[in-house]
Amino acid sequence: DAEHHLSPLENAVRRAADGVLELCQPSDAEILALRDAFVPSLVRVNEQDVYTRRPARWNELPPEASSLLSHLVQARLLTVEQRDQERWVEVAHEALLRNWPLLRQWLDDAREFLVGCQRLEQELRDWQETSMESRTGHLLSGVKLTRAQTWLEERPRQISTELRQFIEASVANRDQLLQDQQRKQHLIISGDRKSTRLNSSHLVISY
């Protein structure tokens, strides 16, 4: 039995989490919402490549997960506190991240996304701290933007409002650059055609 390899606290946390699901009998939609609440808002991967907790604003988590989150708070698996008139939630025991099989599976499946989101958040902070005149140069581009746009399309509930705005600004900038490039190419082609016509006219007149 896997429980024999766990400490009393780890066993208690695991059983309490399973007990919440048994009590609530959530729908598939509520389970998915709970997954989207944890990943990536309530969990990060640290420098030692270990899952660790992090606080999140309650109102930024999927509303469909509210009931399950409230029951996890009642079970003392999550903590809630008020900060600057906002409600924040955080995992109470990191044993929950390691030893609740359902959550651990979600984290393992989304590990690349978790790490990618943390990198995006750093890119966002760098962009926000840059002067307005230089911000365009710090928007996402290339492979980073392609990956971020894919995540935004595939995991819309798991992308924070700030990250969404950053990605959308990056997409708009990329599209504008493409339009400018196409316009320049059109002008060059039009100029070449005009030059060719003038040269042809000159040859006819000379003849």
Side-chain angles (χ1 to χ4, degrees), residues 148-182:
Q149 195 173 7
T150 299
W151 285 334
L152 184 57
E153 293 169 356
E154 294 179 350
R155 299 171 176 267
R157 290 196 307 190
Q158 294 170 282
I159 301 293
S160 69
T161 301
E162 283 190 326
L163 271 185
R164 176 187 297 275
Q165 293 171 346
F166 180 48
I167 295 168
E168 289 175 344
S170 299
V171 170
N173 180 63
R174 180 200 60 193
D175 292 347
Q176 184 62 55
L177 290 175
L178 285 174
Q179 288 179 11
D180 291 345
Q181 186 178 11
Q182 290 170 353

Side-chain angles (χ1 to χ4, degrees), residues 6 9 16-17 27 31 43 45 61 68 70-72 78 92 109 113 115 117 120 126 137 148 169 178 182 187-188 194:
L6 303 179
L9 172 61
S27 66
I31 288 291
V43 186
V45 181
L61 303 178
L68 284 174
S70 295
H71 279 88
L72 290 171
L78 301 178
D109 289 345
F113 173 63
V115 174
C117 273
L120 280 178
D126 293 342
L178 285 174
Q182 290 170 353
L187 290 173
I188 291 172
K194 183 177 181 181

